[in-house]
């Protein structure tokens, strides 16, 4: 129902990554340019790659704590299409639009939303395309965030979710906003140094992005040319502690090394390790699996397939 003075909030998941942050700010700005009364606000604390742009490029990012509010009565979700990990303020029936890039059925949870959900590298690509379509100018700060987001979500274009549309959006931003890959290397370096300075906090920040209460604690770190692997015991201990803290049944971590273009996977439980081993068709050596770079969002469907089959086997025995 349209009410006079109704206000809309554009938002992403709590503790969002750069894709969620860039889409929130840029899309709110686009709608504002088109005359809608709107706020783009981040909930919680942004991820390390976002902090690079705050600290090194002085880009200001409005944030609020995860608490209820009556300031908004309509919601637009970007880089998100489920209530899992959503800010408390979001009311599913009042979500009017969704822009995302993952497998799912958002129309079930959000019956009143106009949905654009396409399996591409970054939600930021869709936002860039929206600007191009209506011929509006992107705020240069937000153009830089969108540019970083496409590289970050596609892992510097090595992830298999990358499409020609992502490359086209990046080229458009380079041509029109004087951007180049130098900023990308700096962004990944900054995030890598943060991981190295405090592996435990980095793991926890990533886990927070996904929220508590998951049966499987699936953690992920992204580094570029890092010394982090020289202390695997510290990583193993951190994963075990975090599993207990987050209340997961079992946990694993996927550490993606962008320089070597591979993934290092550790599971803290033997049973969990067997599931991962079967899901990925690879053996653990000294507690770790090394594979060509793979994303958590690509690992999880394979893990779920194995656990579903296990349950099937159990049921047929009972
Ligand atoms: Mn994304």
């Amino acid at each position: 129902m349209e009410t006079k003075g109704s206000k809309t909030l554009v938002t992403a998941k709590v503790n969002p990554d750069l894709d969620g942050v860039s889409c929130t700010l840029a899309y709110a700005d686009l709608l504002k340019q088109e005359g809608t009364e709107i706020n783009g606000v981040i909930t919680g604390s942004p991820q390390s790659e976002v902090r690079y742009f705050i600290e090194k490029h002085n880009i200001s990012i409005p944030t609020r704590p995860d608490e209820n509010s009556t300031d908004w009565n309509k919601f637009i979700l970007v880089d998100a299409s489920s209530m899992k990990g959503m800010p408390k303020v979001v009311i599913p029936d009042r979500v009017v639009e969704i822009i995302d890039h993952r497998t799912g059925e958002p129309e079930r949870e959000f019956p009143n939303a106009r949905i654009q959900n396409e399996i591409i590298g970054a939600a930021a690509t869709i936002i860039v395309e929206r600007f191009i379509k209506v011929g509006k100018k992107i705020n240069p700060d937000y153009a830089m965030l969108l540019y970083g987001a496409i590289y970050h979500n596609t892992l510097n274009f090595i992830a298999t979710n990358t499409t020609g549309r992502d490359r086209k959006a990046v080229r458009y931003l380079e041509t029109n906003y004087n951007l180049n890959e130098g900023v990308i290397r700096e962004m990944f370096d900054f995030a890598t140094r943060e991981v190295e300075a405090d592996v435990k906090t980095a793991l926890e920040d990533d886990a927070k992005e996904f929220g508590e209460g998951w049966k499987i604690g699936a953690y992920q770190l992204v580094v570029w040319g890092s010394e982090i692997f020289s202390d695997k015991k510290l990583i193993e201990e951190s994963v075990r502690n975090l599993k207990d803290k987050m209340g997961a049944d079992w946990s694993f971590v996927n550490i993606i090394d962008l320089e070597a273009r591979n993934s290092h996977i550790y599971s803290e439980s033997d049973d969990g390790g067997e599931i991962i081993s079967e899901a990925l068709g690879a053996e653990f050596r000294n507690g770790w699996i090394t594979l060509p770079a793979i994303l958590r969002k690509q690992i999880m469907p394979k893990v779920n397939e194995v656990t579903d089959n296990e349950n099937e086997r159990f049921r047929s025995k009972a």
Side-chain angles (χ1 to χ4, degrees), residues 167-194:
R167 291 181 188 281
K168 208 174 154 195
V170 152
R171 235 164 275 137
Y172 173 82
L173 292 170
E174 285 174 344
T175 308
N176 293 279
Y177 296 89
N178 194 29
L179 293 162
N180 65 66
E181 280 185 47
V183 73
I184 300 306
R185 184 60 208 253
E186 274 182 30
M187 169 186 78
F188 281 122
D189 276 342
F190 181 94
T192 301
R193 298 293 93 80
E194 288 219 338

Side-chain angles (χ1 to χ4, degrees), residues 17 19-20 23 79-80 100-102 121-124 149 153 297:
D17 73 357
D19 200 21
C23 291
D79 194 35
D100 199 12
H101 66 124
R102 73 199 70 225
N153 260 214
K297 67 173 119 174

Side-chain angles (χ1 to χ4, degrees), residues 1 21 43 55 82 104-105 129 162 172 174 187 191 210 221-222 273 275 289 295 297 306:
M1 196 174 62
V21 170
T43 303
E55 289 179 27
S82 137
E105 294 175 302
E129 291 172 347
T162 308
Y172 173 82
E174 285 174 344
M187 169 186 78
F210 282 79
L221 297 176
V222 176
I275 291 168
I289 285 176
L295 288 161
K297 67 173 119 174
V306 174

Side-chain angles (χ1 to χ4, degrees), residues 252 254 265 280 294-303:
F252 73 91
N254 174 37
I265 298 158
L280 301 177
I294 183 166
L295 288 161
R296 166 173 43 200
K297 67 173 119 174
Q298 297 170 309
I299 295 173
M300 285 316 288
K302 294 174 194 280
V303 165

Side-chain angles (χ1 to χ4, degrees), residues 126-278:
I126 298 174
I127 302 298
V128 173
E129 291 172 347
R130 294 277 184 107
F131 272 93
I132 296 171
K133 197 175 165 198
V134 297
K136 299 274 187 200
K137 198 106 177 73
I138 308 173
N139 170 316
D141 281 353
Y142 302 163
M144 189 191 275
L145 295 178
L146 291 164
Y147 184 68
I150 298 171
Y151 274 98
H152 193 268
N153 260 214
T154 61
L155 299 177
N156 199 29
F157 287 102
I158 67 174
T160 52
N161 63 353
T162 308
T163 68
R165 284 168 62 188
D166 301 300
R167 291 181 188 281
K168 208 174 154 195
V170 152
R171 235 164 275 137
Y172 173 82
L173 292 170
E174 285 174 344
T175 308
N176 293 279
Y177 296 89
N178 194 29
L179 293 162
N180 65 66
E181 280 185 47
V183 73
I184 300 306
R185 184 60 208 253
E186 274 182 30
M187 169 186 78
F188 281 122
D189 276 342
F190 181 94
T192 301
R193 298 293 93 80
E194 288 219 338
V195 169
E196 287 173 343
D198 190 346
V199 173
K200 285 183 187 185
T201 304
L203 277 170
E204 206 168 331
D205 284 349
D206 169 75
K208 267 193 299 191
E209 189 196 340
F210 282 79
E212 288 183 31
W214 290 85
K215 205 168 143 60
I216 303 169
Y219 315 132
Q220 181 167 280
L221 297 176
V222 176
V223 295
W224 189 324
S226 175
E227 297 302 310
I228 184 181
F229 301 110
S230 60
D231 194 356
K232 284 189 165 162
K233 291 286 164 246
L234 174 66
I235 301 167
E236 294 169 8
E237 186 198 308
S238 305
V239 170
R240 284 195 297 272
N241 291 340
L242 190 54
K243 183 214 93 166
D244 293 338
K245 195 168 174 180
M246 304 297 287
D249 287 355
W250 62 276
S251 289
F252 73 91
V253 65
N254 174 37
I255 306 181
I256 299 165
D257 182 346
L258 293 178
E259 191 174 48
R261 295 176 164 241
N262 59 22
S263 274
H264 300 263
I265 298 158
Y266 165 75
S267 166
E268 52 72 42
S269 104
D270 290 344
D271 290 350
E274 272 181 39
I275 291 168
I276 298 222
S277 208
E278 192 179 333

